[in-house]
Amino acid sequence: MNINNQKKENEIILAVETSCDETAAAIVQGGEHILSNVVASQIESHKRFGGVVPELASRHHTENITWILEEAMKKAEVTFDDLDAVAVTEGPGLVGALLVGVNAAKAVAYARRLPLLPVHHISGHIQAARLERPWRYPALALVVSGGHTELVLLREEGEYEVIGQTRDDAAGEAYDKVARTLELPYPGGPYIDKLAAEGTPNIELPIAWLEPDSYDFSFSGLKSAVINTLHNAKQRGETIRSEDLAASFQQSVITVLTEKTKRAADHYQVEQIVLAGGVAANKGLRTAMSNTFASSSVELTIPPFSLCTDNAAMIGAAAHVQWKKNKTAGWDLNGVPGLALT
Ligand code: KG4
Ligand code: ZN
């Protein structure tokens, strides 16, 4: 399909996201205007199991996908005739969950003879920033979610270079595991965040700096230290204020995330920094990042909460870049659980 230049900048995309436990659809125009953004969260269903159950996630996506698509179209007040393309998360994620979105997107695109745009889930989290303000390059994104912790360098539009990543647990995963130890509900990140705000970081916990020049992260040692601290206190018959433990854990996570982001920002002389992913909803992290870059000339972009956790508007924003580069998929598009960003 040939894309004329006017359309190229102001296209209307139907975006679909089903990589984990949110069934989401959105209509995004020109990669920056959200016409609708509908999310059906499955958290209540998975809560009782303490984490996402893949088979259950797929079933819920199958039940929800049709009405979510209809709702997104209705809220945006668009018809299928208004659409220029259909975008969908190709990966990474749970394969059975991804397949529901991929097949729904394919069905609409095939029926309406529209281009199908494949989107990497993490590029979606990163491109949520363009819904806030235009990019300035080079840019650096700190992606912190339930499955990922990465520092990604963008030298130009849509070109992603992973310069650091977690060697074990993702930041969100560490939050969720620590929360479970404190007997908090799933997903635990927001609960720890709230507790931390009420506590004092007075418990000594490790910070994994790794090699001096490394931008990688590691959170499993910290997670184990929290579990051991609780265990030892229990054995000694002592009580530990969970607010203080949450505050100490959160401080350890935030310190390493902000310090490494700052070091990478200086080294690569970036113009813009983007905080992305579910953990970017963390109030402590948002404040620490704002303070760290307050006196620098680097522009810090932190999307609103609703665009940090999984949603389809971010997929529509990332799809805009694919659209401009004519990166379309064939009808054989598949869900790819381990899809690489670069
Ligand atoms: O990006 P996301 O919605 O899904 C994935 O792609 O993983 O991220 C979900 C993760 C969960 O681990 C959740 O506990 C964490 O984001 N999270 C938070 C907060 N809100 C969500 N972690 C810390 N503080 C928060 N306020
Ligand atoms: Zn995500």
Side-chain angles (χ1 to χ4, degrees):
M1 168 180 160
N2 281 327
I3 300 167
N4 73 42
N5 274 340
Q6 197 199 345
K7 270 290 174 196
K8 204 157 188 167
E9 295 298 329
N10 210 24
E11 82 295 343
I12 295 181
I13 290 180
L14 164 65
V16 181
E17 153 65 40
T18 63
S19 68
C20 191
D21 58 347
E22 263 93 28
T23 317
I27 307 288
V28 177
Q29 184 162 24
E32 54 187 64
H33 302 296
I34 302 175
L35 304 188
S36 68
N37 189 19
V38 186
V39 182
S41 171
Q42 307 175 1
I43 283 177
E44 285 308 317
S45 292
H46 297 282
K47 223 172 202 167
R48 66 197 136 122
F49 302 108
V52 177
V53 181
E55 178 61 21
L56 192 59
S58 313
R59 283 167 193 256
H60 280 309
H61 286 312
T62 309
E63 282 164 11
N64 288 332
I65 191 72
T66 308
W67 75 261
I68 283 284
L69 289 177
E70 284 169 357
E71 192 70 9
M73 302 282 292
K74 206 163 93 189
K75 282 205 166 138
E77 296 181 6
V78 296
T79 68
F80 286 115
D81 286 339
D82 298 318
L83 299 180
D84 294 302
V86 183
V88 64
T89 305
E90 179 185 8
L94 304 167
V95 70
L98 290 166
L99 282 174
V100 178
V102 165
N103 284 303
K106 263 191 214 178
V108 176
Y110 187 78
R112 305 300 305 190
R113 298 286 182 265
L114 292 169
L116 184 63
L117 304 166
V119 174
H120 190 285
H121 182 77
I122 296 302
S123 78
H125 276 301
I126 294 172
Q127 294 295 341
R130 69 166 52 247
L131 299 165
E132 284 295 288
R133 61 162 69 99
W135 282 95
R136 280 166 49 184
Y137 300 101
L140 182 69
L142 172 64
V143 183
V144 272
S145 76
H148 294 259
T149 301
E150 279 153 17
L151 269 171
V152 181
L153 182 67
L154 287 84
R155 294 183 202 269
E156 56 189 278
E157 183 166 67
E159 298 298 321
Y160 308 99
E161 192 182 321
V162 179
I163 59 166
Q165 57 195 314
T166 184
R167 295 185 185 173
D168 38 59
D169 291 351
E173 193 180 352
Y175 265 94
D176 294 341
K177 287 178 178 168
V178 165
R180 194 191 294 198
T181 309
L182 290 173
E183 294 173 7
L184 297 167
Y186 173 85
Y191 295 93
I192 297 273
D193 194 11
K194 197 160 169 278
L195 272 186
E198 295 157 12
T200 311
N202 55 10
I203 298 163
E204 204 175 315
L205 292 172
I207 297 180
W209 292 109
L210 307 174
E211 303 79 30
D213 58 346
S214 173
Y215 294 120
D216 280 352
F217 302 98
S218 166
F219 295 108
S220 76
L222 171 63
K223 174 197 69 191
S224 303
V226 172
I227 295 170
N228 289 341
T229 304
L230 269 176
H231 234 79
N232 294 343
K234 215 177 233 171
Q235 279 179 341
R236 285 198 295 264
E238 295 167 7
T239 46
I240 289 188
R241 283 187 75 225
S242 48
E243 291 87 346
D244 294 344
L245 193 56
S248 306
F249 164 76
Q250 177 143 307
Q251 176 163 289
S252 176
V253 173
I254 289 175
T255 303
V256 74
L257 289 176
T258 46
E259 282 294 316
K260 292 209 176 198
T261 305
K262 174 87 173 74
R263 188 151 54 76
D266 291 344
H267 180 80
Y268 290 99
Q269 299 271 294
V270 300
E271 300 264 328
Q272 189 184 0
I273 291 176
V274 167
L275 187 54
V279 183
N282 185 276
K283 291 199 189 69
L285 179 59
R286 294 167 89 92
T287 307
M289 288 286 281
S290 301
N291 292 341
T292 303
F293 295 101
S295 58
S296 88
S297 60
V298 182
E299 196 163 59
L300 175 66
T301 306
I302 309 182
F305 292 106
S306 60
L307 297 177
C308 287
T309 45
D310 286 352
N311 66 89
M314 69 183 198
I315 302 302
H320 174 73
V321 179
Q322 302 285 80
W323 163 267
K324 284 206 290 183
K325 295 186 177 192
N326 279 335
K327 287 195 178 166
T328 56
W331 302 123
D332 58 350
L333 180 69
N334 210 344
V336 184
L339 188 66
L341 181 59
T342 42

